[in-house]
């Protein structure tokens, strides 16, 4: 049984979540990579702000307590909706081939 029976609703959900979720995911990715590069060249003191951003502390807006959970929830929802869309399309194409 599909998570969403109406593929249009599922596509709408996926298209709404994807642009919103790409920003925190990319920020987490790049700040993590760049901070590890700073560790490699022994410049961690100069780039501690990257670690703060990586954890969700954006100065005035401190989301460090919930940022990982927001990131994980958004990615989980995108994965579920994407897999469900793929599954529905894959199932329809198999049905057409059988007929």
């Amino acid at each position: 049984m599909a998570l969403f029976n109406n593929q249009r609703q599922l596509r709408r959900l996926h298209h709404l979540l994807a642009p919103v979720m790409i920003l925190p995911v990319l920020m987490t990715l790049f700040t993590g990579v760049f901070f590890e590069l700073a560790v490699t060249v022994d410049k961690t003191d100069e780039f501690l702000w990257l670690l703060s951003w990586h954890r969700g502390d954006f100065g005035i807006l401190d989301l460090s307590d919930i940022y990982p959970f927001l990131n994980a929830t958004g990615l989980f929802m995108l994965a579920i909706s994407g897999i469900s869309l793929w599954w529905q399309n894959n199932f329809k194409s198999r049905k057409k081939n059988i007929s």
Side-chain angles (χ1 to χ4, degrees):
M1 183 171 171
L3 183 62
F4 288 90
N5 291 331
N6 187 349
Q7 192 171 10
R8 180 175 285 187
Q9 287 178 334
L10 185 58
R11 284 190 188 282
R12 187 178 305 139
L13 173 69
H14 193 79
H15 286 140
L16 286 174
L17 281 178
V20 173
M21 281 310 304
I22 195 68
L23 294 174
V25 170
L26 287 176
M27 183 174 299
T28 301
L29 177 119
F30 285 120
T31 55
V33 168
F34 290 141
F35 186 76
E36 285 302 316
L37 288 173
V39 168
T40 303
V41 295
D42 290 330
K43 301 281 186 181
T44 55
D45 293 338
E46 297 173 29
F47 294 99
L48 284 176
W49 60 272
L50 279 173
L51 193 56
S52 293
W53 281 20
H54 183 76
R55 293 179 177 162
D57 182 6
F58 304 112
I60 296 171
L61 183 62
D62 185 8
L63 300 173
S64 58
D65 292 337
I66 61 170
Y67 188 70
F69 300 108
L70 291 174
N71 234 349
T73 302
L75 281 173
F76 182 71
M77 291 299 293
L78 283 176
I80 293 298
S81 63
I83 290 169
S84 185
L85 282 170
W86 173 80
W87 185 265
Q88 288 175 7
N89 287 336
N90 194 19
F91 185 70
K92 283 183 181 180
S93 66
R94 282 187 184 173
K95 244 181 166 177
K96 286 180 184 177
N97 290 338
I98 293 173
S99 302

